[in-house]
Amino acid sequence: MEKLRQMSLSNWLTAGIIIVLIEIVLFNNGMIFSLVLSGGLLYFGKQAWQQMYGKILVGVGAIMLLTAILSMVTLRILFVILIINLILKYMETKKSPLIFEPVVKEKREDRGGEQLFVTKRPLFLNQWVGSHETPDQSYEWENIHLQNGIGDVQIDLSNTVLPDKEVFISLRNIAGKITILVPYELEISVQHSALAGEASILSSYTARLWNENVVYQTESYEMAHQKCTILSSVWIGDIEVKRV
């Protein structure tokens, strides 16, 4: 069981493709004809895309291909297993979210008197499934650019020293809650979009979102030297921005 958990995504995909091919070759020979026919329609339709019949061929081929794929029992089972696996991983990360601390490795090279700085690990790493949280102790600030799959994100700006300029937080999430804790003296601007969820910003704005955008800005944001711009989007989930 432990070896199965440690398998990489590429290994799981390879195993899934092999299982699908076994079903097609041994148990579903008619699938080969459907795949060849739909592939032919897509190919010839693409060649004649400028003509009306080319678009019709592509549409018919796409429908046939989708129908053939959805009729496969193996793919249905693999899809259910994938969903269960994602749910289990999400529950595990909820109990113990990943805490990343930036690791800086500076390497200086002289090329005609020019100094180059390379290799700096970001504060957060992109993941398909997993929750993220800044360290409880003080940490070095770096602008955050995160694309996450399923999981919660919590960023505490009170545990770091922000530079006297505009800093950025960019978050894209499929599902999960985004929580950002900001100091009282920090001016902020929030631009958030969600397909379904709720937004709570500094106890001044609370709303339920259905495929909507939210733009919020504190009163002194434009004139402030030290400020934070938050750009976030989520398919399903909430955002909460509060003072600490």
Side-chain angles (χ1 to χ4, degrees):
M1 181 63 69
E2 187 65 27
K3 291 183 178 181
L4 291 177
R5 289 185 177 182
Q6 294 177 354
M7 286 181 62
S8 63
L9 179 60
S10 59
N11 290 336
W12 280 108
L13 290 176
T14 303
I17 292 173
I18 293 175
I19 294 174
V20 170
L21 290 176
I22 291 175
E23 178 185 352
I24 293 175
V25 174
L26 299 181
F27 305 105
N28 197 352
N29 293 328
M31 177 67 66
I32 299 177
F33 175 76
S34 298
L35 293 176
V36 172
L37 180 59
S38 59
L41 292 174
L42 290 172
Y43 175 77
F44 290 109
K46 184 179 178 181
Q47 296 298 317
W49 180 254
Q50 301 299 328
Q51 307 296 326
M52 179 58 68
Y53 75 89
K55 296 180 175 62
I56 295 175
L57 290 178
V58 170
V60 174
I63 293 174
M64 289 185 61
L65 180 61
L66 182 62
T67 303
I69 292 175
L70 293 178
S71 65
M72 297 184 63
V73 178
T74 303
L75 284 180
R76 296 178 187 176
I77 296 174
L78 291 176
F79 181 75
V80 172
I81 293 174
L82 176 63
I83 295 298
I84 294 175
N85 187 43
L86 290 176
I87 293 174
L88 292 177
K89 284 188 176 181
Y90 175 69
M91 293 176 63
E92 289 179 0
T93 56
K94 285 283 287 184
K95 296 178 181 178
S96 54
L98 295 175
I99 300 176
F100 291 102
E101 298 184 19
V103 177
V104 180
K105 295 181 180 179
E106 294 188 353
K107 180 181 179 181
R108 302 189 180 188
E109 299 179 0
D110 291 329
R111 294 181 180 178
E114 182 181 4
Q115 290 184 332
L116 302 180
F117 296 84
V118 297
T119 310
K120 194 165 187 177
R121 181 184 177 185
L123 190 62
F124 289 140
L125 300 177
N126 297 339
Q127 288 196 130
W128 286 105
V129 180
S131 296
H132 302 267
E133 184 177 339
T134 53
D136 293 332
Q137 67 274 14
S138 60
Y139 61 93
E140 181 184 358
W141 171 256
E142 286 290 335
N143 287 335
I144 296 175
H145 303 278
L146 174 65
Q147 296 186 77
N148 198 40
I150 301 175
D152 298 338
V153 179
Q154 179 170 315
I155 300 172
D156 189 349
L157 299 180
S158 65
N159 287 332
T160 187
V161 177
L162 297 175
D164 191 21
K165 62 179 181 178
E166 184 178 10
V167 298
F168 293 90
I169 297 176
S170 176
L171 304 172
R172 293 182 181 180
N173 213 15
I174 295 178
K177 182 178 181 180
I178 298 173
T179 304
I180 302 177
L181 310 177
V182 297
Y184 280 94
E185 67 277 6
L186 183 65
E187 303 295 331
I188 66 167
S189 172
V190 180
Q191 299 181 39
H192 177 73
S193 63
L195 290 179
E198 293 185 355
S200 176
I201 303 175
L202 302 185
S203 302
S204 301
Y205 178 89
T206 303
R208 189 180 299 274
L209 305 178
W210 295 100
N211 194 23
E212 296 180 60
N213 297 330
V214 172
V215 178
Y216 181 95
Q217 184 173 295
T218 53
E219 185 177 359
S220 303
Y221 174 82
E222 294 291 347
M223 298 177 293
H225 293 287
Q226 187 182 63
K227 52 189 175 181
C228 179
T229 298
I230 301 170
L231 307 173
S232 60
S233 65
V234 62
W235 290 10
I236 302 175
D238 305 334
I239 181 172
E240 182 181 14
V241 181
K242 59 183 181 180
R243 300 286 191 186
V244 290

